[in-house]
């Protein structure tokens, strides 16, 4: 049985470089699985991603734990028995420590005030998501965020220990599952106590800031998206640039862009209404060019929206005794169509049309709409042949 890897990341979460001995190196698919006698590389687990970094000049791409053995997945091999110098990607690790520590405070406050459990936790490439087994409103989350940042400002020491079975039996702590054996408890005094295998900062002040970004209903509960520390600052900087750019475009002060956008949207809605009226009048004039009493009509028009197609087709339908068909598009992207009649059920016709020309669409007895990939020549040929048989 292999000896378990010595876990330096539990002895000192701030350890950035260390030396070790290579015990095993095996190629599996396109990577190498390297086992060291000791490591500060944190393996993926408990919602926290694995560390990355280097062993000598070899890149560590991923780290996993299997039965106490830490497996480092690298892009190149390392000589078994050799002594190596290792370095973790510290900016990334410290950011993950900030995120994980901030999540503990938020989850602890939600549990304390609203008696909800954290039933899902994931650190994504940009944000953390936390799933709670109950609903949290906007005011609830605003309170949690304010109290969480008070914990940051107080710069409280975050404690980590492994209580005895007797101590654990009387300890009030959070855990997603029943635990046995040695249990590692991470405590933020006054805010949270939780069974956790991850890495955390030593004092809450190192988290920097905790920001709840959004919340949505999820599986009967609430999924909260949040950022801490450097990620929160980066997000603020990104949004500040966006606000500044919009402010310049709208000639409005940053604090007034909300009202400025509302004004632009109102103006845009008014212009759209005017444009729709103008387009309708234009289509009415075009429809008048078709002689009343025409049996069947098939036209190709440029740049018509789906609503335009519908409107124009119905206007033409009033001037013909059979079927009116209107198409808009091109042979590269395909054509949108509207086909209508006041005297015929167009559904059987369109069923055959879609089958023959790889079209999609449907509708009611008097009007169908959809898309078709055939060429204009093929469409004309099918329509003309169909009209001749009516």
């Amino acid at each position: 049985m292999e000896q378990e890897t010595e876990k330096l990341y539990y002895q000192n979460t701030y350890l950035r470089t260390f030396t070790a001995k290579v015990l095993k190196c095996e190629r599996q698919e396109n990577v190498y699985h390297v086992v060291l006698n000791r490591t500060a590389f944190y393996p993926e687990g408990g919602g926290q991603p694995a560390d990355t970094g280097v062993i000598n000049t070899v890149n560590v791409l991923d780290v996993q734990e299997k039965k106490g053995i830490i497996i480092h997945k690298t892009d190149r091999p390392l000589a078994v028995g050799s002594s190596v110098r290792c370095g973790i990607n510290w900016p990334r690790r410290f950011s993950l420590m900030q995120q994980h520590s901030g999540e503990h405070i938020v989850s602890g406050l939600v549990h304390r005030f609203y008696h909800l459990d954290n039933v899902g936790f994931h650190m994504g490439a940009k944000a953390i998501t936390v799933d709670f087994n109950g609903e949290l409103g906007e005011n609830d989350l605003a309170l949690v965020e304010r109290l969480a940042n008070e914990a940051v400002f107080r710069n409280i020491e975050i404690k980590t220990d492994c209580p005895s079975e007797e101590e654990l039996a009387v300890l009030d702590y959070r855990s997603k599952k029943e635990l046995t054996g040695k249990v590692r408890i991470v405590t933020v005094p006054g805010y949270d106590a939780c069974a956790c295998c991850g890495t955390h900062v030593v004092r809450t002040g190192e988290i920097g800031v905790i920001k709840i970004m959004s919340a949505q209903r999820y599986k009967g509960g609430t999924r909260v998206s949040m950022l801490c520390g450097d990620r929160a600052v980066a997000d603020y900087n990104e949004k500040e640039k966006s606000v500044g750019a919009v402010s310049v475009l709208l000639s409005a002060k940053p604090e007034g862009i909300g009202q400025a956008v509302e004004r632009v949207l109102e103006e845009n809605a008014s212009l759209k209404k005017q444009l729709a009226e103008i387009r309708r009048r234009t289509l009415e004039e075009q429809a008048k060019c078709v002689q009343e009493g025409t049996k069947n009509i098939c036209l190709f028009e440029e740049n018509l929206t789906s609503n335009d197609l519908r409107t124009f087709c119905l206007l033409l339908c009033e001037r013909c005794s059979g079927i009116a068909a209107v198409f808009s598009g091109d042979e590269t992207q395909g054509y949108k169509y509207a086909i209508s009649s006041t005297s015929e059920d167009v559904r059987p016709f369109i069923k055959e049309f879609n089958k023959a020309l790889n079209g999609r669409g449907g509708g009611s007895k008097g009007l169908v709409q959809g898309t078709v990939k055939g060429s204009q020549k093929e469409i004309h040929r099918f329509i003309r042949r169909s009209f001749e048989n009516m």
Side-chain angles (χ1 to χ4, degrees):
M1 183 177 179
E2 290 184 82
Q3 182 178 351
E4 290 190 5
T5 310
E6 184 182 354
K7 300 171 182 178
L8 301 177
Y9 49 82
Y10 282 155
Q11 298 173 24
N12 180 4
T13 58
Y14 291 79
L15 187 62
R16 307 184 191 193
T17 62
F18 63 98
T19 57
K21 183 178 179 180
V22 179
L23 301 181
K24 183 184 291 187
C25 180
E26 297 178 346
R27 181 166 184 168
Q28 295 197 20
E29 297 180 350
N30 296 323
V31 297
Y32 294 86
H33 287 202
V34 175
V35 176
L36 306 174
N37 66 324
R38 62 207 295 262
T39 188
F41 285 96
Y42 180 79
E44 180 183 14
Q48 182 172 325
D51 283 334
T52 59
V54 293
I55 302 175
N56 285 348
T57 58
V58 173
N59 292 312
V60 176
L61 310 173
D62 187 23
V63 187
Q64 299 292 324
E65 181 175 5
K66 186 175 182 180
K67 296 181 179 179
I69 307 300
I70 309 299
I71 299 168
H72 307 76
K73 297 182 181 181
T74 65
D75 60 353
R76 284 175 289 154
L78 289 158
V80 174
S82 64
S83 294
V84 290
R85 186 163 183 80
C86 313
I88 66 171
N89 181 338
W90 177 250
R92 181 176 182 275
R93 155 72 86 78
F94 184 69
S95 176
L96 292 173
M97 289 163 61
Q98 288 180 313
Q99 313 309 311
H100 207 157
S101 303
E103 176 272 322
H104 272 258
I105 295 172
V106 168
S107 294
L109 285 166
V110 169
H111 182 74
R112 175 182 173 186
F113 284 97
Y114 304 105
H115 310 292
L116 300 181
D117 295 319
N118 172 341
V119 293
F121 167 54
H122 176 69
M123 287 192 204
K126 186 174 181 180
I128 307 170
T129 57
V130 188
D131 298 332
F132 295 104
N133 60 348
E135 292 193 10
L136 291 165
E138 184 178 343
N139 291 336
D140 301 329
L141 292 171
L143 174 62
V144 168
E145 181 182 275
R146 180 173 65 80
L147 294 176
N149 280 291
E150 283 185 8
V152 173
F153 305 152
R154 291 176 61 192
N155 198 27
I156 302 164
E157 182 182 1
I158 297 177
K159 300 178 180 179
T160 303
D161 57 9
C162 296
S164 65
E165 289 187 17
E166 293 76 16
E167 291 171 326
L168 199 62
V170 296
L171 187 64
D172 183 17
Y173 66 96
R174 294 188 301 112
S175 177
K176 293 187 180 70
K177 58 184 180 181
E178 289 292 327
L179 300 172
T180 57
K182 189 176 181 180
V183 179
R184 185 169 180 265
I185 302 295
V186 177
T187 304
V188 185
Y191 292 88
D192 188 42
C194 180
C196 181
C197 61
T199 58
H200 307 82
V201 295
V202 170
R203 304 193 75 89
T204 59
E206 294 176 87
I207 299 169
V209 64
I210 297 173
K211 181 62 185 174
I212 294 177
M213 310 300 296
S214 63
Q216 63 185 67
R217 288 183 178 177
Y218 181 74
K219 293 184 177 180
T222 305
R223 169 165 286 183
V224 173
S225 177
M226 59 180 285
L227 295 172
C228 301
D230 64 338
R231 292 190 185 185
V233 173
D235 182 76
Y236 177 86
N237 289 338
E238 182 181 329
K239 289 177 178 174
E240 186 180 39
K241 286 180 182 178
S242 297
V243 169
V246 174
S247 174
V248 171
L249 290 171
L250 297 178
S251 299
K253 293 181 179 181
E255 61 271 21
I257 63 170
Q259 292 179 331
V261 169
E262 287 181 3
R263 184 171 64 252
V264 169
L265 291 175
E266 289 173 0
E267 292 172 355
N268 188 46
S270 177
L271 289 171
K272 279 185 176 181
K273 187 175 181 181
Q274 293 176 42
L275 180 59
E277 184 59 30
I278 292 170
R279 291 176 74 90
R280 178 174 179 84
R281 290 177 185 173
T282 301
L283 293 173
E284 286 175 349
E285 292 302 316
Q286 283 184 258
K288 289 177 182 178
C289 295
V290 175
Q291 185 176 352
E292 274 196 80
T294 301
K295 185 176 181 183
N296 298 306
I297 301 168
C298 179
L299 296 176
F300 283 78
E301 298 290 335
E302 294 183 356
N303 303 319
L304 293 186
T305 65
S306 296
N307 285 337
D308 289 341
L309 276 170
R310 176 189 177 93
T311 299
F312 193 33
C313 191
L314 291 173
L315 289 168
L316 291 170
C317 193
E318 294 174 0
R319 303 183 71 81
C320 73
S321 59
I323 294 176
V326 184
F327 298 83
S328 184
D330 57 53
E331 297 190 2
T332 302
Q333 300 295 323
Y335 291 90
K336 292 178 291 187
Y337 67 75
I339 299 173
S340 64
S341 175
T342 57
S343 59
E344 304 276 348
D345 185 345
V346 294
R347 289 173 296 186
F349 169 78
I350 205 60
K351 184 177 180 180
E352 292 301 317
F353 175 77
N354 286 337
K355 183 178 179 182
L357 296 173
N358 193 29
R360 295 180 64 184
S364 63
K365 176 181 177 181
L367 174 69
V368 292
Q369 286 188 261
T371 58
V372 64
K373 281 290 186 181
S375 68
Q376 186 170 331
K377 185 177 181 180
E378 290 172 325
I379 295 170
H380 260 306
R381 186 186 301 121
F382 183 90
I383 296 287
R384 184 170 61 252
R385 186 169 62 248
S386 299
F387 284 173
E388 287 173 355
N389 295 330
M390 288 180 177

